[in-house]
Amino acid sequence: MAAAGSCRAKAPRGAAGRRRPRAAVLGAERRSRAAAVRPVDEEVSSDSEPESPSLGRRRRREAAVEEEVEETPQEKKLRLAKLYLEELRQHEEEQAAAEEEEEETHPADLIGDRLKEDVLEQKGRLQRLVAKDPPDPASIRVLRGHQLPVTCLVISPDDRFIFSASKDGSLIKWEVESGKRLCVVPGGKKGTEERHMGHASHVLCMAISSDGKYLATGDRNKLIMVWDTATCKRLHIFTGHRDAVSGLSFRKGTHQLYSASHDRCVKVWNVAENAYMETLFGHQDIITGLDSLSRECCVTAGGRDGTVRLWKIPEESQLVFYGHQGSIDCIQLINEEHMVSGADDGSVALWGLAKKKPLALARQAHGMQDAQGLQQPYWISAVAALRNSDLLATGVGQLLWSKGLGVQGVCPAPAPAPAPAPGWGAWQSPLSTLGSHSASVKLWKCSEGFRKLEPLWAIPLV
């Protein structure tokens, strides 16, 4: 019996002398075998096992060599993805702390929700239902500073600053919270662009990059100027258009800039590298509006050629949309799959990028006017879309700064520029001019899956 017992393997004992279960023994054996076959370059946590000095020196030498080698596209994508996730983590943690939620939320859950939202936004399926409570006109403040009508304006992505431009060629940076003018770039005289820092003609359009670093402005004198938003210092002047620059838009998440002009073409620029990229042709009349989001494409309104066009940059192709009877004067994307436009026949059209005809068309959107004994509709010169929501706004004249509503258009009559109350800019959409000859801005709801436009209410301007 003693001999038989001596040839049987004994289960190892624990600290208290108890035998370890057979499953624990098998698990230990598997771990030892896995450690024996582990690849040399596998990342191992410093908490799991000690590292010899020679191995540490070798890894540091390998890391130094890798730093000298230029990143491959795959490595760059991985690095940027890690940075993006870290930014999301920090943002969601700060947001959770600010809201002082009663229940503790794990950061990974917040990141997952944010990633799902980003995916829906990329596919054009993200929609925030906000078209229910009317804004309070009493909360609007007035900012004064320009000598001639304000033609365009944008709000910074962090909602802290507003940039506005005017027919007098001036550019003003405002602080949203206090309403103070932080920087004023006065307009100059024609022919002095090289000596004078600002524009020497009417500024017609403006755009800000999604990281808030660059501001671009376009004027009647065919020039595009790029500015540092922090210092209001002019960085570049882009030339190439043969007529007035009527539309500007930064592709979201990049420094790629699209510009539209009365010369009937769209140009693509790389602002960070101060470089021209390409020119797109197709419109048969002046381009009156332009917009873009994160996809490598842009949409334009073609004035009296009666078309809206979607430009697919990588494919070097375009889709043509028909629906208005008059000159199409303004356009803006609602999300990655829908857009809204306005025309001088008084109609407002809601489009899906997959269909050539409007999903919904509101005729005589601002009613009729009596012009020399003839009944004619008020023309729509500005449209607004609260990004990824069901709320739109339309108008044809003076100026309004509303809840982040981004509008393309010009203002034919001088008027003071009301500014949003603190917090109104948090809806993250660029601001521009908006108004109406009928002294009101109309707000609309996109209902029934973007197949119907319902008028909600009008905001008086005076």
Side-chain angles (χ1 to χ4, degrees), residues 31 35 44 49 52 98 204 214-216 237 271-272 388 428 430:
R31 287 193 294 272
V44 180
E49 58 188 31
S52 66
L204 301 181
Y214 296 111
L215 178 75
I237 296 181
V271 171
N388 301 307
Q428 290 293 335

Side-chain angles (χ1 to χ4, degrees), residues 3-82:
S6 63
C7 66
R8 180 182 299 170
K10 295 182 179 180
R13 296 178 179 271
R18 294 186 299 273
R19 295 183 181 273
R20 292 170 58 190
R22 181 173 179 78
V25 176
L26 293 176
E29 293 175 352
R30 292 192 189 101
R31 287 193 294 272
S32 63
R33 287 197 298 270
V37 299
R38 179 182 294 135
V40 175
D41 59 348
E42 182 181 357
E43 183 177 347
V44 180
S45 172
S46 60
D47 296 331
S48 61
E49 58 188 31
E51 185 182 72
S52 66
S54 61
L55 181 59
R57 287 193 296 271
R58 183 168 61 84
R59 287 186 175 176
R60 285 193 292 272
R61 287 196 300 269
E62 291 174 352
V65 171
E66 289 177 357
E67 289 179 357
E68 296 177 359
V69 179
E70 186 176 355
E71 279 185 317
T72 65
Q74 292 78 10
E75 291 171 341
K76 184 176 182 181
K77 288 180 181 179
L78 180 61
R79 178 173 58 81
L80 293 177
K82 289 181 178 179

Side-chain angles (χ1 to χ4, degrees), residues 158-283:
D158 60 5
D159 308 316
R160 296 177 55 200
F161 308 108
I162 293 170
F163 298 87
S164 61
S166 167
K167 283 188 175 182
D168 59 18
S170 64
L171 179 69
I172 298 180
K173 178 181 179 180
W174 310 80
E175 186 179 50
V176 172
E177 185 70 24
S178 64
K180 294 180 180 179
R181 282 179 283 176
L182 302 180
C183 179
V184 178
V185 180
K189 295 183 179 180
K190 187 175 181 179
T192 64
E193 290 87 354
E194 294 298 331
R195 303 188 304 274
H196 178 73
M197 188 172 68
H199 288 275
S201 60
H202 298 178
V203 182
L204 301 181
C205 51
M206 179 182 290
I208 191 170
S209 59
S210 55
D211 62 359
K213 184 176 181 180
Y214 296 111
L215 178 75
T217 53
D219 64 20
R220 286 184 60 184
N221 204 26
K222 317 171 192 176
L223 299 178
I224 300 171
M225 295 189 182
V226 179
W227 310 80
D228 184 322
T229 57
T231 62
C232 292
K233 178 183 177 181
R234 191 179 71 192
L235 303 176
H236 314 304
I237 296 181
F238 290 150
T239 60
H241 282 295
R242 293 172 294 169
D243 207 334
V245 180
S246 55
L248 291 169
S249 179
F250 278 96
R251 180 186 170 196
K252 185 178 178 182
T254 74
H255 293 146
Q256 185 170 300
L257 176 68
Y258 303 110
S259 65
S261 169
H262 290 179
D263 63 10
R264 302 179 293 179
C265 73
V266 175
K267 291 185 181 292
V268 186
W269 314 83
N270 188 321
V271 171
E273 298 181 5
N274 190 21
Y276 159 80
M277 297 178 67
E278 60 182 309
T279 301
L280 311 174
F281 299 94
H283 278 293

